[in-house]
Amino acid sequence: MRKGLLPVVRQTIALLLFLPALLLSSCADECESTTTYTVFEPVYMLRADLQQAVKVAPAQTLREPGKIYAKGHYLFINEVDKGVHIVDNSNPSAPRFLSFITIPGNLDMAVKGNILYADSYIDLVALDISNPLDVRLVNRVENVFPTYFGMLVNDTASVFISEFVETQITQPPGTDCNSAGPGWLNGWMTMDGRSFASASVVQPSNSTGKGGSMARFTISGDHLYTVSNSDLQVLDISNTADPKKGEKIRLGWGIETIFPYADKLFIGSTTGMHIYDNSNPTKPVHLSTYAHVNSCDPVVVEGNLAWVTLRSGNACAGFTNQLEVIDISNPRSPQLLKTYPMQNPHGLGIDHSTLFLCEGKYGLKIFDAKDHLKVSDNLISHFKGHDAFDVIPLGSNLLLIGQDGLYQYDYSNVKDIRLLSKLPVSR
């Protein structure tokens, strides 16, 4: 399933399941034209198969890249719903694919020591990556992420929906009008030419790395924190190979990202930024929520400032494209300092007041943010030639992931930022 479509399906499917009575048509005449529908057919997976599916494979090229993560001289690139590429980045000018870990249903990851933590649909898997050519599954924690496609997967269910595959269905002339337009079509619910399955389809070194601003996984000390659409899950990873589920904290709906800074966790949602005190890492405590209009919302922090991008789009149901600067010197009362209009901001990163901002199809913008009230006057560079989804600044090198591949830039001299390499997408 396409990366942009997945959040829409997850958020919409639950609502559509309750609308059949409103969508039935009473027309009994025969239609005279051909009608084509887009249907999302469910693909089922057995839990038993899921538990046997994680394995290392030869290196592959990028096809649909998602999240990125950096640890030492290795890069980890998510292949949406498929697994994780391991890349040797000891020479950023010539990165090399080493292997591919097949992890069905994977979207996020984090690393501590030699253990890679990744989601696999409804489970969390822990993998020993000490030898990237021979990655081994060392543990699986079941039902860490029980909500999938907006539906709750029962802890004991032997079968669950792993994805929806887009399929075209054409109705020839002479077909009963009951099957045309919004309503029911061959067991599928249709709406404005698009279809979703009905409810009846549901069948039984200890160092850490660094993720981007779009991450739903982060590590702080001996704990892994993951966010779902509605919850913060704490996992004890003091024994890295044996993660243990801890506190689960209800956050509300529309949760998107998590960013650690000092003893705080900054959680981005479609309606605001939540700040949690993490001085007791086993049980983060809510300090405040900075509310904004409904929009996608990744956040990064440096010093007493939080930088938030708000983005319009189908998954966010918003109409705002802007960068916000928020004073968090008092984390119990965050205050908006400045708003800057942007084109379509996605992920962002900051390193010693150099701000890197992804503008989706409009490319990458780099600002001098020393004066947070004059950021728009201090654009350093604008790279327009590629898509920009998220970034990770690493001191002097910048990782950038987009729909067309992974880019690396040398920003050791911000007046002369240079492209080092590109790992392109193969279609």
Side-chain angles (χ1 to χ4, degrees), residues 66-284:
K67 309 290 180 68
I68 48 176
Y69 195 87
K71 168 108 174 14
H73 62 273
Y74 291 113
L75 305 181
F76 303 87
I77 308 174
N78 160 246
E79 189 75 35
V80 175
D81 275 335
K82 305 299 182 184
V84 175
H85 301 270
I86 301 182
V87 177
D88 180 352
N89 199 45
S90 49
N91 179 4
S93 297
R96 296 185 302 114
F97 287 106
L98 293 178
S99 59
F100 180 74
I101 314 170
T102 300
I103 310 173
N106 172 247
L107 295 172
D108 283 272
M109 65 235 151
V111 178
K112 181 180 180 184
N114 291 321
I115 300 297
L116 168 71
Y117 304 99
D119 57 334
S120 180
Y121 290 122
I122 52 183
D123 296 344
L124 175 79
V125 293
L127 303 130
D128 185 338
I129 55 170
S130 52
N131 180 356
L133 301 179
D134 185 24
V135 176
R136 295 181 298 107
L137 176 67
V138 294
N139 220 317
R140 174 183 293 272
V141 185
E142 296 185 348
N143 303 307
V144 176
F145 317 103
T147 303
Y148 204 71
F149 286 113
M151 293 176 285
L152 187 66
V153 180
N154 190 285
D155 288 359
T156 59
S158 60
V159 179
F160 64 95
I161 297 175
S162 61
E163 62 179 315
F164 285 86
V165 176
E166 186 173 322
T167 304
Q168 297 289 327
I169 292 180
T170 299
Q171 293 283 33
T175 304
D176 191 329
C177 286
N178 279 324
S179 60
W184 289 94
L185 172 65
N186 298 334
W188 299 95
M189 182 184 292
T190 66
M191 173 69 85
D192 297 331
R194 302 177 74 82
S195 308
F196 295 89
S198 71
S200 61
V201 302
V202 181
Q203 308 289 335
S205 93
N206 278 336
S207 63
T208 62
K210 184 176 183 181
S213 65
M214 293 291 196
R216 285 179 175 266
F217 279 34
T218 195
I219 294 174
S220 180
D222 287 333
H223 292 84
L224 169 67
Y225 303 90
T226 72
V227 291
S228 66
N229 286 337
S230 58
D231 300 295
L232 168 64
Q233 176 68 64
V234 182
L235 295 108
D236 183 338
I237 54 171
S238 52
N239 180 350
T240 55
D242 188 22
K244 301 290 188 184
K245 277 198 288 189
E247 193 82 11
K248 188 172 187 177
I249 300 169
R250 181 74 176 176
L251 300 173
W253 195 250
I255 304 303
E256 295 184 306
T257 62
I258 183 168
F259 186 88
Y261 189 81
D263 61 349
K264 306 291 190 299
L265 297 174
F266 295 83
I267 298 171
S269 77
T270 56
T271 57
M273 175 187 70
H274 306 290
I275 303 177
Y276 275 75
D277 183 347
N278 198 38
S279 52
N280 177 3
T282 63
K283 192 172 183 178

Side-chain angles (χ1 to χ4, degrees), residues 60 72 101 104 179 235 260 291 300 320 340 347-348 377 406 422:
Q60 302 177 13
I101 314 170
S179 60
L235 295 108
V300 295
T320 299
Y340 298 97
L348 70 168
D377 296 334
L406 174 79
K422 175 187 178 181

Side-chain angles (χ1 to χ4, degrees), residues 356-368:
F356 305 90
L357 190 143
C358 297
E359 285 270 37
K361 66 181 181 180
Y362 301 103
L364 170 69
K365 292 178 180 176
I366 304 174
F367 297 92
D368 181 342

